[in-house]
Amino acid sequence: MPQLNKLRTALPGGPGGDTAPPSSARLRTALTVFFAVDGFLFAGWVVRIPAIKHQTGASASTLGLALLGVSAGAVITMMLAGGLCRRFGSHPVTVVCGVLLSLAIALPAQTHSALTLGSVLLVFGAAYGAMNVAMNSAAVDLVAALRRPVMPSFHAAFSLGGMLGAGLGGLVAGGLSPATHLFVLTGVGLLVTAAAGPTLLRHRVPRPASVADRTEQPRRMTGRARKVVLLFGVIALCTAYGEGALADWSALHLEQDLHARPGIAAAGYSLFALAMTAGRLSGTALLERLGQTRTLVAGGAIGAAGMLLGSLAPTAWLALLGFAVAGLGLANIFPVAVGRAGELAGPSGVAAASTIGYGGMLLGPPAIGFLADGFSLPVALTTVAVLAGAASVLGYAARHAVPRA
């Protein structure tokens, strides 16, 4: 199995250069746009959680249960999306899910109870989960064609979109109602999908012969490969738990526990997303220099330290610093884990690792909510640091986890 993080050459044309044919360049650009709009839409919803919490009159625990709808819908469709990608192709599935996600984001602002909020978030999560599996499956194929570890660059686009979505959401939070804001996001999502979608629909990923032969084999995983995919899925879970916790609870922590203004509270996730963007933009160089194991181990340790500071800091500014450090640490863990699973088993591996990984988001919102009610939100957020440390340990344990051919 080729170690993508050790390959420094692209397609013929010179060492280390990005000399992909025009179709590959267009595909990479279009796919990057879809990752960015996915993050932009998700962050736009996230920064309106406090306002929608107030609108529905939900407590911390009932809000956590309602937020479970996002993760439940995502996990359900992730289990199906791998099969859809094999049957119809990852590109068409990505475009269709882009349309569905854009339409679904307007729904939460139309609710006035925790029960109805959870119901519409189930629809939103279903579109979000299927889109993530389809995008990552397409990205894995393109990474194999380019023969460079560029997977973090796609996730950097997601983080950049999240940063922009959170930043703009914080700016308009005081002037636009949640309904107006999310309706505008629907229009943005549909326009971007209409602009970038035709490229994905027209082009297929060019593959080297060896990769094409491998991907045409049946996608049933062997017992050894299944264990390796499971291991990387658990590593992804530890990261997704942290990302979901910060997305859903960072603004509430800053506003309620540290008495930050709404604009500052919204900046928590924006800073986290900015730090993740910076970390992922440097992810390709980092993987080529350090390799997967040291990237995973160091990332988990840094993420754990940052979240301890972010959750227990006595001031909003120190908490913001902690969130930024956590973002740098967690940045490349999820893309490395999902990319490795996709390298092993194609869309089936991506779907399996993503389902397990986003199980972290399934566990995160209700766990944080119940722990916050029983103890406090700062104490609840320390569980993010615990799981980041676990990702570091598992990343080291996975250093020899390569299935036999």
Side-chain angles (χ1 to χ4, degrees):
M1 187 64 63
Q3 295 292 326
L4 293 181
N5 62 306
K6 298 296 184 183
L7 295 174
R8 297 174 181 267
T9 59
L11 299 176
D18 189 4
T19 55
S23 61
S24 293
R26 287 194 294 268
L27 281 176
R28 184 175 179 181
T29 299
L31 198 55
T32 299
V33 169
F34 272 98
F35 271 87
V37 77
D38 188 49
F40 181 81
L41 294 177
F42 185 76
W45 142 248
V46 162
V47 298
R48 301 318 297 250
I49 288 177
I52 293 177
K53 176 180 182 291
H54 177 74
Q55 176 179 302
T56 57
S59 66
S61 57
T62 55
L63 177 63
L65 288 174
L67 293 173
L68 186 65
V70 177
S71 299
V75 169
I76 290 170
T77 54
M78 281 176 175
M79 293 188 292
L80 304 174
L84 292 175
C85 289
R86 289 193 302 272
R87 181 172 181 178
F88 301 106
S90 56
H91 292 178
V93 175
T94 298
V95 175
V96 171
C97 290
V99 174
L100 295 178
L101 182 66
S102 300
L103 295 173
I105 197 171
L107 298 178
Q110 309 303 318
T111 62
H112 297 280
S113 70
L115 179 60
T116 55
L117 177 62
S119 299
V120 301
L121 288 180
L122 190 67
V123 177
F124 176 74
Y128 179 75
M131 184 170 178
N132 273 269
V133 169
M135 289 190 311
N136 278 287
S137 296
V140 166
D141 287 340
L142 190 54
V143 166
L146 296 175
R147 298 181 64 81
R148 294 195 66 222
V150 298
M151 192 71 169
S153 69
F154 295 115
H155 288 260
F158 175 88
S159 297
L160 179 60
M163 180 193 70
L164 293 175
L168 290 175
L171 290 176
V172 305
L176 290 180
S177 67
T180 301
H181 179 202
L182 297 185
F183 182 75
V184 169
L185 293 185
T186 292
V188 171
L190 291 175
L191 286 174
V192 172
T193 300
T199 300
L200 291 189
L201 296 176
R202 283 196 303 264
H203 299 285
R204 299 183 62 184
V205 178
R207 296 171 181 167
S210 60
V211 175
D213 292 343
R214 176 171 60 83
T215 56
E216 288 172 3
Q217 295 174 356
R219 284 306 188 184
R220 292 182 179 179
M221 290 181 281
T222 65
R224 172 86 178 185
R226 188 177 294 107
K227 291 179 182 178
V228 176
V229 169
L230 174 63
L231 177 61
F232 283 108
V234 173
I235 293 172
L237 180 149
C238 295
T239 306
Y241 181 96
E243 291 190 54
L246 281 166
D248 291 346
W249 297 102
S250 61
L252 287 172
H253 171 54
L254 290 166
E255 189 171 337
Q256 295 181 5
D257 299 318
L258 301 178
H259 311 293
R261 296 189 302 275
I264 299 298
Y269 182 70
S270 183
L271 276 177
F272 175 75
L274 174 62
M276 292 200 84
T277 302
R280 287 169 171 175
L281 286 173
S282 60
T284 297
L286 194 67
L287 285 167
E288 289 177 332
R289 180 175 294 274
L290 299 181
Q292 292 178 345
T293 298
R294 282 183 284 185
T295 298
L296 292 175
V297 172
I302 293 171
M307 272 311 300
L308 282 177
L309 176 61
S311 58
L312 301 178
T315 67
W317 297 110
L318 283 176
L320 290 172
L321 175 63
F323 292 158
V325 173
L328 285 173
L330 299 179
N332 293 301
I333 298 178
F334 192 95
V336 168
V338 172
R340 191 71 180 98
E343 179 191 347
L344 293 171
S348 296
V350 172
S354 297
T355 301
I356 297 169
Y358 281 99
M361 291 187 180
L362 181 69
L363 295 172
I368 296 291
F370 284 118
L371 287 172
D373 278 350
F375 299 94
S376 68
L377 184 53
V379 170
L381 288 173
T382 61
T383 59
V384 177
V386 173
L387 288 183
S392 181
V393 173
L394 292 174
Y396 182 76
R399 66 193 185 280
H400 300 309
V402 179
R404 305 266 180 200

